[in-house]
Amino acid sequence: ESLRARRKELARSARAGQEAKAVGNAEEDASDRTRMEELPQLERELVAVLLAHPGRVAEAAGRVAPEEFENPAARRLLLDLLDQLRAGEEPGIAGLRSRLSPGRLALALGLADMATGHSEPGRWLEDLLAGFERKRNREGRRQLQQRLQQVSRGGDHAAALELLRKVQEQAR
């Protein structure tokens, strides 16, 4: 309950602070104005579960890269958590409070609040990481299919057959 009140207070101060904010990093500016609903679902949920259960950041660190995130605000929050882990700090909002702008802190608190009540955070995290893996696989297949089309147009049938074999293997 106090988290919600603090989140509302931070959101109000973020709106006021944005009006007086000086020019800064474009990604930082974008993440200050980002609302939870604007984040892609997979990214929103992964960052939420990591903020609510910071002990799981190490588990996710080796399985998803910030570069896989489309939204700069979600990517920045993931990077912040990973930076804490690399620095030997305990990842989580407590350590991020002093580093985050009011807007980013409000977003982080909202995401953590969203994930706090989940009954099986370990299973949820595993499902989310599997979702990122499926996304990577789809992208890899798409790239192979594009290369296959290019090679097929070029007339190199041996290379086309090899690429076709790779596309079929990835589809399994």
Side-chain angles (χ1 to χ4, degrees):
E1 192 63 29
S2 65
L3 263 178
R4 285 192 181 109
R6 177 72 176 141
R7 185 174 152 248
K8 286 179 185 176
E9 176 188 328
L10 287 170
R12 280 193 300 274
S13 72
R15 282 192 291 274
Q18 284 178 353
E19 294 172 5
K21 188 175 181 176
V23 176
N25 181 325
E27 191 169 285
E28 292 287 325
D29 290 346
S31 65
D32 271 355
R33 292 187 302 267
T34 301
R35 294 188 330 256
M36 273 194 314
E37 311 81 51
E38 296 171 347
L39 302 176
Q41 182 178 355
L42 194 58
E43 296 173 22
R44 177 179 61 237
E45 290 184 13
L46 180 62
V47 172
V49 75
L50 295 178
L51 287 165
H53 305 281
R56 299 197 178 268
V57 172
E59 184 180 343
R63 296 185 53 198
V64 67
E67 297 79 29
E68 295 179 64
F69 279 51
E70 297 170 19
N71 185 280
R75 181 175 40 251
R76 185 68 248 165
L77 285 171
L78 178 62
L79 280 167
D80 290 337
L81 290 168
L82 294 175
D83 288 346
Q84 285 181 304
L85 187 65
R86 280 187 221 112
E89 301 170 18
E90 180 68 29
I93 291 179
L96 293 176
R97 277 187 193 277
S98 63
R99 299 180 196 179
L100 298 179
S101 67
R104 285 183 46 221
L105 182 56
L107 176 63
L109 289 169
L111 289 168
D113 188 44
M114 176 187 98
T116 300
H118 200 280
S119 61
E120 296 183 55
R123 184 172 180 180
W124 188 19
L125 176 61
E126 194 56 43
D127 290 345
L128 293 168
L129 294 172
F132 273 95
E133 185 175 342
R134 284 189 301 275
K135 185 178 170 184
R136 276 191 302 274
N137 289 340
R138 278 192 307 270
E139 180 61 24
R141 277 194 308 274
R142 187 188 64 72
Q143 289 176 356
L144 278 175
Q145 288 170 342
Q146 285 178 338
R147 286 180 44 213
L148 176 61
Q149 290 172 353
Q150 291 170 347
V151 170
S152 294
R153 285 187 215 117
D156 187 350
H157 297 293
L161 284 173
E162 179 61 23
L163 284 172
L164 181 59
R165 184 186 59 75
K166 287 182 182 179
V167 168
Q168 289 172 338
E169 283 177 7
Q170 283 194 352
R172 291 181 197 155

